Each structure stands twice: as C-alpha cells, then as structure tokens.
C-alpha cells in the first residue's frame, strides 16, 4: 500500500511537471523520485519507533501496548520401551520390561502484554492422575534487564535440568543430576538479571519442600532454600559456542539421595561446548554437596557426554555418556557408575523424534544392584 501511494504521488507529480513545463518526465526520473519517497517513509518510521521507545522508558503511555499471543496450548507424548534382565524396577524407575507412556504433558502459556507472561503445565506421567507441574508468572521490567519468575517452577540449579525435556539427547538426565542435583519443582521466586548479552546473574528463594507425592507443597517450619547462579556464554561465533553455568544452593531442600529434607551446601558447575564446524557438542558437569546430616559424609559426582551429528545425515545423532555418583563418601559399596551409548533421530525436528540408548552398569549401589538396560523412545510434540 505504501509503495502504491508513493507511485501514485510520483505519477501525479510527473503529470504536473508535464502540464507546467510542457515536457515529459523520463522513467528514470520517476524511479528516482519513488526511491527518494520510500527512503523518506522509512526514515519517518524509524523516527516514530524511536519516539515510542522513549515514551515507554519515560513511563508515560500514549497508546495501548501491543497485545501478543494471550494463550497457546501445546503438549507432549513420550512412549518408552525398556528391556532389562532384572526383576522389579530398573535404574530409570520403570518396570524392567515393557512399554509405558512415560510422559503425557499439556502446557497453557502466553503473554498478556510486553511485560507479563505465564505458564500452567500439567502432567499425567506413567498413567498417573493429573498433577500440576508448573504454574508461574514472568514479569519483565522496562527500565532494567531483569525478569522475575514467581510460582511453581524448576529448581534453578543444574544446567542439565534446566534444559527442556523435549531436547534431551538421552532418555534420562545423568544419574548425578537426577539424584544429587535439584531435579524437581518447588514454589519460589527466581530473579534473572542480564547486564550483558551473554551473561545472566540469578538469585532464587525457594520453599524448600519440593513437589511431594500428594501434589502439595508447604513449609510449616519456614526454612527456605537459597540459590545463586552465574550463567555465561564467553564464546559464540561461527565455529564455537561455549556456555558455563555455576550455581550454589544453601538452606533447606529435599536431597533425593538421602530421602529427606536437610540443610545443603551444593555446588554445581556445568559447561557445554558446541564445535559447530564438526557438528559436535561436548557437555559435562561436577556436583558436590555437604549435607548437614549426622553420620553422613559428602556427596559428589560428575558426568561427561558427547553429541555428534552424522555428516550428510544431520537428522541422525550419535551420543555417548559417562556418569558416576557417590551419595555418601563415608560409606563404601554405594557408588553408581554408568556408561551409555546410543542415538537420536529427528523425524521432524524435535517435534517428532526417536531416541535409543544402551546403558552399561559399571558399578551399582549393592542395595539396588541394577542391571544393564536398553531403552527406546518415541516423542511427539503437538
């Protein structure tokens, strides 16, 4: 429409010039006038947007904010098949053999305006009853690069756990993250400050009770959990991307490897390096905890994994991982060590994907005595 008006204007000017001076205007002159008018319009639009920005920063409103995507609904279905020689539950907590609807999720999310967003996330994993999994509000400030997330959410410690579940390369996260890291939900407030493009500083206050089996979270003793984290990308160019996340958790939290709420001093350092020219991603992490529990020693563990996109078959990725975890350094025969190898294939990006892995148990807690495991998954996002 803008071009049509500009062309019409130039045409009328051309007619006027012919009438006034009795001479024709060449097509090159018409095109030049058109380009000049388009440039003027572009400059005015840029100036207009600049003025709008100044108005927003000054705190005054001269027109309603642009409304965006008030509600979106999407979901996820994940089917898993497991095969193992042991009886009872395998190391993933599933039945040793068979097919299960591992994850059935629905998300309701959107933005009320430029500053306020929200998400409600429910699940019915493994055929269980429907449970509220996430329920939070995001608020972004105009004057400072700060975002607040308030409500039920992921405990923001581990880089591996904060990665969206649909983009996991293995059927499960590393054993040290699942058992020692804060791999669960809790009620709280998370503040994320982004003073630079590739730097985030975070502080969180969580309830400390986590998500319990009856779907309720409460804090009768008023002992809270505190988290500080730095998340940075020091290198990001055409060849490499390097991310580092360091987090410290103190206060009271439910330590899964202990099975109760204790005072924790958890240090979590994780990193990821993408070698873009090779289609290779390397990731690893180290976790150390000093729980305040009588007779209990330190807990520690680490993981290292690789993801390689097969040349010419970029949808096919080969993966490998080594992970180990010691829940109590004062106790012997309780270490867990696993080596895994497998693949994932993106049928339609992460929208439809297949994952498969063989997990070799190098060393297992003698009370659990896990066997090797083969897992295959089909994921569908809708």
């Amino acid at each position: 429409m803008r071009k049509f008006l500009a062309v019409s204007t130039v045409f009328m000017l051309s007619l006027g010039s012919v009438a006034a001076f009795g001479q024709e205007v060449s097509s090159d002159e018409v095109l030049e006038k058109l380009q000049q008018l388009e440039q003027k319009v572009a400059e005015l639009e840029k100036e207009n947007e600049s003025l709008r920005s100044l108005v927003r920063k000054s705190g005054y409103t001269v027109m309603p904010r642009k409304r965006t995507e008030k509600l979106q609904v999407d979901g996820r279905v994940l089917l898993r098949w497991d095969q193992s020689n042991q009886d009872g539950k395998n190391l993933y907590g599933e039945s040793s053999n068979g097919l299960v609807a591992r994850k059935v999720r629905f998300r309701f999310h959107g933005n009320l305006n430029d500053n306020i967003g929200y998400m409600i996330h429910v699940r019915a994993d493994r055929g269980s009853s429907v449970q509220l999994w996430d329920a939070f509000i995001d608020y972004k400030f105009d004057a400072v690069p700060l975002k607040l997330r308030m409500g039920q959410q992921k405990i923001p410690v581990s880089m591996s756990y904060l990665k969206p579940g649909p983009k996991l390369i293995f059927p499960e996260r590393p054993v040290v993250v699942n058992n020692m890291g804060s791999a669960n939900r809790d009620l709280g407030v998370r503040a994320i400050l982004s003073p630079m493009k590739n730097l985030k500083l975070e502080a969180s206050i969580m309830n400390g009770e986590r998500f319990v089996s009856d779907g309720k979270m409460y804090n009768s003793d008023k002992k809270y959990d505190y988290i500080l984290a730095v998340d940075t990308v020091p290198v990001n160019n055409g060849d490499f991307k390097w991310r580092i996340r360091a987090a410290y958790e103190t206060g009271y939290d439910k330590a899964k490897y202990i099975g109760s709420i204790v005072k924790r001093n958890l240090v979590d350092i994780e990193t990821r390096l993408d070698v873009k020219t090779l289609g290779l991603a390397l990731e690893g992490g180290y976790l150390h905890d000093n729980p305040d529990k009588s007779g209990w020693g330190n807990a520690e563990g680490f993981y290292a994994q690789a993801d390689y996109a097969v040349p010419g078959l970029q949808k096919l990725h080969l993966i490998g991982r080594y992970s180990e975890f010691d829940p109590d350094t004062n106790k012997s025969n309780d270490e867990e060590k696993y080596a895994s190898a497998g693949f994932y294939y993106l049928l339609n990006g992460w929208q439809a994907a297949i994952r498969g892995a063989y997990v070799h148990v190098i060393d297992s807690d003698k009370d659990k005595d896990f066997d090797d495991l083969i897992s295959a998954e089909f994921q569908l996002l809708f």
Side-chain angles (χ1 to χ4, degrees), residues 77-106:
V77 175
L78 183 68
L79 303 178
R80 176 184 290 173
W81 173 82
D82 289 325
Q83 180 67 40
S84 178
N85 291 326
Q86 72 181 78
D87 297 326
K89 301 292 185 180
N90 59 38
L91 61 92
Y92 285 164
E94 311 289 358
S95 298
S96 296
N97 302 298
L99 183 67
V100 63
R102 173 65 180 83
K103 294 182 180 180
V104 180
R105 307 281 179 91
F106 289 91

Side-chain angles (χ1 to χ4, degrees), residues 10 23 37 51 61 77 92 106 110 126 165 179 194 213 220 225 237 240 276-277 288 322 337 352 367 379:
V10 174
Q23 61 183 15
L37 281 172
L51 289 171
T61 303
V77 175
Y92 285 164
F106 289 91
R126 302 184 181 92
N179 287 280
S194 304
S213 59
S220 57
D225 187 30
N237 53 43
F240 300 98
K276 300 177 183 179
T277 54
H288 183 277
Y322 177 82
K337 301 176 182 179
D367 295 331
Q379 170 178 287

